[in-house]
Amino acid sequence: MEHHEKAGCLFPKIGMRNVKTALAAALCALVYYFLDRNPTFACIGAIFGMGSSFMQSRLHGGNRFFGTMVGGFIGMGLFAIYMELFPDGSNSWVLIPLTFVGVIILILLCQHIWVGGVVLCILLFNTPTDTYITYAMNRILDTGIGVLAAIFVNGMLPGGFTFSFMHRLYQRLGIRDDVEDEFMAKPAV
């Protein structure tokens, strides 16, 4: 970890990616504050969706969203089986072998695609029996909003697609820009 010395103390370096990640999570929390909705999963989506570049954010965010969606649908399917067997939610010990089956399915899927197991486990062990479908759908939605926030922030702040976009726009309009001079110049060899 890189540190900067200031007044005899060592401070860790905070780079632009760290600032963008914090801003994306704070943006989610702000939006959800006004919606009077819990921002937890949107913030997690924003944090894990942030990449080192705009394209990396699209990749990481897409993987996070898709993984949450797959885990959510597997969890809903397994919980539906549990509810068919025990409509009153009794015999919760049945969730143990269903968890085993769910994790095996996730492991098999991970050999081909990126998937996540957080929503699967939350659905099976921490969701009321009458709300498991809406819970899963809300977690998928929240993760998607967080991922979109990460992609948006990464694209709008330095290092994202905005510099190259503006450079191309200025070139087409015949306007000299500092973007080329400061950020797009080739490094000296």
Side-chain angles (χ1 to χ4, degrees), residues 54-100:
F54 177 73
M55 294 306 289
Q56 284 294 310
S57 283
R58 286 180 52 192
L59 176 67
H60 290 300
N63 285 343
R64 182 73 185 186
F65 177 71
F66 188 69
T68 300
M69 190 169 57
V70 170
F73 283 126
I74 291 170
M76 282 190 287
L78 292 172
F79 207 85
I81 292 169
Y82 171 68
M83 292 308 299
E84 278 296 314
L85 297 172
F86 305 101
D88 61 349
S90 63
N91 295 318
S92 61
W93 64 268
V94 173
L95 294 172
I96 297 167
L98 289 175
T99 302
F100 178 84

Side-chain angles (χ1 to χ4, degrees), residues 51-187:
S52 58
S53 67
F54 177 73
M55 294 306 289
Q56 284 294 310
S57 283
R58 286 180 52 192
L59 176 67
H60 290 300
N63 285 343
R64 182 73 185 186
F65 177 71
F66 188 69
T68 300
M69 190 169 57
V70 170
F73 283 126
I74 291 170
M76 282 190 287
L78 292 172
F79 207 85
I81 292 169
Y82 171 68
M83 292 308 299
E84 278 296 314
L85 297 172
F86 305 101
D88 61 349
S90 63
N91 295 318
S92 61
W93 64 268
V94 173
L95 294 172
I96 297 167
L98 289 175
T99 302
F100 178 84
V101 170
V103 171
I104 292 294
I105 292 170
L106 289 176
I107 291 169
L108 292 172
L109 287 173
C110 280
Q111 295 173 25
H112 303 286
I113 57 174
W114 190 92
V115 295
V118 174
V119 175
L120 168 77
C121 293
I122 291 173
L123 275 173
L124 292 178
F125 295 107
N126 201 33
T127 306
T129 57
D130 56 337
T131 61
Y132 74 96
I133 293 175
T134 55
Y135 180 85
M137 299 307 286
N138 280 319
R139 295 305 67 85
I140 293 167
L141 174 69
D142 293 342
T143 299
I145 289 171
V147 164
L148 288 175
I151 291 170
F152 174 76
V153 167
N154 206 356
M156 291 296 121
L157 292 180
F161 74 89
T162 51
F163 285 135
S164 61
F165 170 78
M166 291 307 293
H167 173 67
R168 289 190 311 273
L169 177 65
Y170 287 165
Q171 278 184 325
R172 288 188 181 131
L173 296 175
I175 301 171
R176 184 191 171 285
D177 67 334
D178 295 332
V179 172
E180 180 179 23
D181 298 337
E182 293 182 31
F183 297 100
M184 298 190 67
K186 303 266 187 223

